[in-house]
């Protein structure tokens, strides 16, 4: 085994070269790891490449890591010169063994900005480092920096126009987002409650996914099974809370704009020709809608199922609080939009025949009147009928169902923690009332 500084230098240089050759032979390496091996038993390279897995025998780490670490520090202190290829190899080796070494990531940032290093290679290096160190904060921070470069500085040819994400091909942006989602999912599965991975996933949605309704619904669907298999992972449920909260904000905002456009179209029907007004109504009907109350209902049903199946997990009860709060928050916003729709509709019969969007129709159905759409007869549109139709929808958001669920849990459960969480949730509901 190497002991003198000269022998250590020769060993490290050989190992660094073997790592570089491994990536050249197989650019599709998808996982790294340490092979338990206290000492070198054979006169062979400690770098093992099997299919797409790269292994490093543990005996060489105590020589390899300090050597490349000191070598990079000497370079930063301008005491030793390294060319660009040597910098790439040294930082790659160092980050695979210690991805939280900020200086190494900063050196690679300089290489990317100078055009020496392809930013996609850094995304791949970070992905490999996260297979061994899935919670490494410096790796996630550098990953976001690289993604910003790809978006803002046109580092990826034909992907984006500088400073203009909207000019990028949709399918390529979607592919980039999907890759990040996969990296986050793998990291979250390797380390419980991986806050850094889920926070990065939120960042990607905000800056690449643009929080569109379709993206939010797809993420809700794709993470449902994951949280069902990790019922104690608060970070995963917090991510779903972010999705639901964004969905509520985005849907209500879009509905406000859609309602304004719809009212303008209705007013224009008095001035436009009949065929022109029909075209405007058809365009209004093409707007995207989402059944938000039903979406929150399904999330509450998921909470009920998981609480019954896995008793004694506080994460599930905390998530239930958030979902109920969003339902209560939604209750205070939807009737305001519905009231505007109904008041306008009572003033002009044109509204009853116009083709409004599904989103507005859904919000206005709480204010609908029995028999309004029947061709045989027409009923008087009174405040009493509006109040009768509105009452059941408001009751569906009330805490009565929650109190009933809590009583069922307390009457049947034998888990002490489950009873404690249910009692705390009931107290929270009481204080909220």
């Amino acid at each position: 085994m190497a002991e003198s500084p000269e022998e250590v230098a020769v060993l490290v240089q050989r190992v660094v070269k073997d790592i570089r050759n491994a990536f050249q032979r197989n650019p599709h390496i998808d996982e790294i790891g340490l092979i338990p091996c206290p000492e070198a038993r054979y006169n062979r390279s400690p770098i093992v490449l099997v299919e797409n897995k790269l292994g490093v025998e543990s005996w060489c780490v105590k020589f390899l890591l300090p050597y490349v670490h000191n070598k990079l520090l000497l370079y930063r202190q301008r005491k030793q010169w390294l060319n660009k290829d040597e910098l790439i190899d040294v930082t790659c080796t160092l980050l695979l063994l210690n991805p939280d070494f900020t200086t190494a990531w900063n050196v690679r940032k300089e290489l990317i900005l100078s055009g020496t290093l392809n930013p996609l290679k850094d995304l791949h290096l970070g992905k490999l480092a996260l297979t061994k160190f899935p919670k490494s904060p410096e790796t996630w921070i550098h990953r976001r920096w690289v993604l910003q470069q790809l978006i803002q500085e046109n580092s990826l040819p034909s992907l984006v126009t500088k400073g203009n994400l909207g000019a990028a091909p949709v399918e390529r942006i979607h592919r980039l987002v999907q890759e990040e989602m996969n990296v986050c999912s793998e990291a979250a599965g390797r380390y419980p409650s991986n806050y850094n991975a889920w926070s990065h996933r939120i960042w990607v949605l905000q800056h690449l996914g643009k929080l569109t309704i379709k993206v939010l619904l797809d993420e809700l669907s794709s993470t449902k099974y994951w949280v069902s298999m990790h019922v104690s992972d608060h970070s995963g449920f917090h991510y779903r809370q972010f999705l639901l909260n964004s969905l509520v904000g985005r849907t209500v905002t879009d509905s406000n704009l859609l309602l304004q456009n719809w009212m303008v179209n209705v007013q224009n029907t008095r001035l436009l020709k009949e065929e022109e007004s029909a075209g405007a109504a058809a365009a209004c009907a093409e707007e995207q809608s989402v059944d938000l109350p039903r979406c929150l209902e399904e999330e509450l049903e998921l909470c009920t199922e998981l609480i019954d199946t896995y008793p004694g997990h506080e994460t599930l009860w905390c998530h239930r609080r958030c979902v109920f709060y969003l339902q209560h928050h939604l209750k205070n916003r939807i009737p305001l939009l519905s009231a505007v729709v109904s008041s306008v509709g009572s003033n002009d019969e044109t509204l009853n025949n116009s083709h409004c969007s599904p989103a507005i129709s859904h919000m206005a159905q709480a204010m609908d009147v029995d028999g309004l759409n029947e061709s045989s007869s027409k009923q008087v549109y009174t405040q009493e009928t509006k109040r009768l139709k509105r009452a059941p929808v408001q009751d569906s958001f009330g805490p009565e169902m929650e109190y009933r669920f809590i009583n069922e849990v307390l009457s049947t459960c034998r888990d002490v923690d489950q009873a404690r969480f249910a009692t705390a949730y009931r107290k929270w509901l009481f204080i909220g009332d």
Side-chain angles (χ1 to χ4, degrees):
M1 182 178 294
E3 294 181 358
S4 66
E6 293 79 10
E7 292 176 329
V8 171
V10 173
L11 170 66
V12 170
Q13 291 173 6
R14 187 185 72 175
V15 173
V16 171
K17 181 179 179 180
D18 290 341
I19 293 177
R20 181 179 69 248
N21 293 335
F23 281 102
Q24 291 177 351
R25 292 198 309 268
N26 188 353
H28 303 293
I29 296 175
D30 57 12
E31 187 177 357
I32 62 170
L34 290 179
I35 302 174
C37 187
E39 49 186 44
R41 299 180 180 178
Y42 307 100
N43 186 19
R44 66 182 185 187
S45 173
I47 304 303
V48 180
L49 179 62
V50 179
E51 296 180 353
N52 293 334
K53 315 300 178 184
L54 179 67
V56 181
E57 294 183 355
S58 59
W59 66 265
C60 73
V61 175
K62 61 182 179 181
F63 303 107
L64 183 61
L65 186 57
Y67 183 88
V68 293
H69 180 273
N70 293 332
K71 195 169 186 178
L72 187 62
L73 288 181
L74 290 175
Y75 168 79
R76 296 297 283 181
Q77 296 170 1
R78 301 181 184 276
K79 296 180 180 180
Q80 183 177 352
W81 171 251
L82 296 175
N83 59 41
K84 295 179 180 180
D85 292 334
E86 291 175 332
L87 278 176
I88 293 176
D89 294 339
V90 167
T91 54
C92 176
T93 303
L94 180 55
L95 291 170
L96 289 177
L97 299 175
N98 180 22
D100 287 329
F101 189 45
T102 309
T103 302
W105 288 121
N106 289 338
V107 170
R108 294 183 74 88
K109 285 185 177 70
E110 296 174 357
L111 294 174
I112 291 175
L113 293 176
S114 64
T116 305
L117 181 62
N118 187 342
L120 292 180
K121 289 187 176 181
D122 251 24
L123 287 180
H124 182 61
L125 176 63
K127 179 180 178 179
L128 290 179
L130 290 172
T131 61
K132 177 61 179 174
F133 307 93
K135 203 178 179 181
S136 170
E138 294 299 328
T139 304
W140 292 111
I141 292 172
H142 183 74
R143 195 171 191 87
R144 287 192 285 272
W145 182 88
V146 173
L147 290 172
Q148 286 178 332
Q149 299 306 306
L150 293 176
I151 297 171
Q152 298 175 1
E153 298 185 3
N154 198 21
S155 297
L156 184 60
S158 74
L159 177 63
V160 293
T161 301
K162 185 173 182 180
N164 184 10
L165 180 61
V170 177
E171 58 276 6
R172 294 191 177 182
I173 291 294
H174 176 73
R175 199 179 308 126
L176 190 61
V177 172
Q178 192 59 44
E179 174 65 19
E180 292 304 303
M181 297 297 103
N182 295 336
V183 171
C184 293
S185 296
E186 292 179 5
R190 293 176 183 271
Y191 195 99
S193 295
N194 195 338
Y195 172 81
N196 295 309
W198 291 106
S199 297
H200 179 77
R201 192 163 185 156
I202 291 175
W203 184 91
V204 171
L205 288 186
Q206 291 174 331
H207 292 79
L208 294 178
K210 295 303 180 182
L211 294 179
T212 62
I213 292 180
K214 182 182 183 303
V215 170
L216 293 173
L217 291 177
D218 289 344
E219 282 296 288
L220 271 177
S221 176
S222 63
T223 57
K224 183 177 180 179
Y225 176 78
W226 195 96
V227 297
S228 299
M229 302 300 295
H230 301 78
V231 293
S232 292
D233 197 310
H234 181 76
S235 297
F237 281 97
H238 175 266
Y239 178 72
R240 290 185 69 84
Q241 294 165 18
F242 163 79
L243 295 176
L244 292 170
N245 192 29
S246 301
L247 201 56
V248 170
R250 186 60 183 265
T251 302
V252 173
T253 301
D254 291 349
S255 299
N256 284 329
L257 296 175
L258 190 57
L259 178 60
Q260 295 175 5
N261 295 335
W262 178 54
M263 294 178 64
V264 170
N265 289 335
V266 169
Q267 294 175 358
N268 290 339
T269 55
R270 303 170 184 174
L271 303 175
L272 297 175
K273 296 179 181 180
E274 182 177 355
E275 58 274 11
E276 293 177 351
S277 63
C284 180
E286 293 177 355
E287 295 290 341
Q288 185 179 13
S289 64
V290 56
D291 192 348
L292 194 52
R294 179 56 188 165
C295 190
L296 294 175
E297 247 178 72
E298 291 177 352
E299 192 69 16
L300 211 57
E301 291 173 0
L302 175 64
C303 284
T304 301
E305 179 183 351
L306 295 179
I307 288 174
D308 291 339
T309 307
Y310 307 99
H313 291 273
E314 188 176 13
T315 299
L316 301 176
W317 289 96
C318 292
H319 184 61
R320 192 179 187 94
R321 290 188 188 189
C322 178
V323 176
F324 178 79
Y325 172 80
L326 290 177
Q327 281 187 328
H328 180 74
H329 179 67
L330 188 66
K331 178 194 69 173
N332 297 330
R333 302 184 71 170
I334 284 184
L336 297 178
L337 297 175
S338 302
V340 175
V341 176
S342 301
S343 62
V344 175
S346 62
N347 293 330
D348 193 346
E349 188 178 359
T350 308
L351 296 184
N352 296 331
N353 298 324
S354 63
H355 301 281
C356 63
S357 71
I360 296 178
S361 300
H362 172 77
M363 290 186 296
Q365 67 183 0
M367 304 292 289
D368 201 0
V369 185
D370 291 331
L372 182 62
N373 296 326
E374 296 179 0
S375 58
S376 58
S377 62
K378 293 184 180 180
Q379 295 185 359
V380 180
Y381 202 75
T382 64
Q383 293 296 326
E384 182 64 20
T385 54
K386 286 190 290 183
R387 183 162 54 251
L388 290 175
K389 291 297 295 182
R390 184 168 58 241
V393 176
Q394 288 186 345
D395 290 342
S396 65
F397 292 109
E400 291 79 11
M401 296 297 295
E402 294 300 289
Y403 282 122
R404 187 182 306 172
F405 170 72
I406 293 173
N407 293 334
E408 291 178 357
V409 170
L410 292 176
S411 62
T412 58
C413 78
R414 298 180 179 179
D415 188 277
V416 177
D417 291 332
Q418 180 86 321
R420 178 164 56 90
F421 298 146
T423 303
Y425 181 50
R426 182 169 59 186
K427 183 183 295 184
W428 179 81
L429 288 173
F430 178 78
I431 295 176
D433 290 344

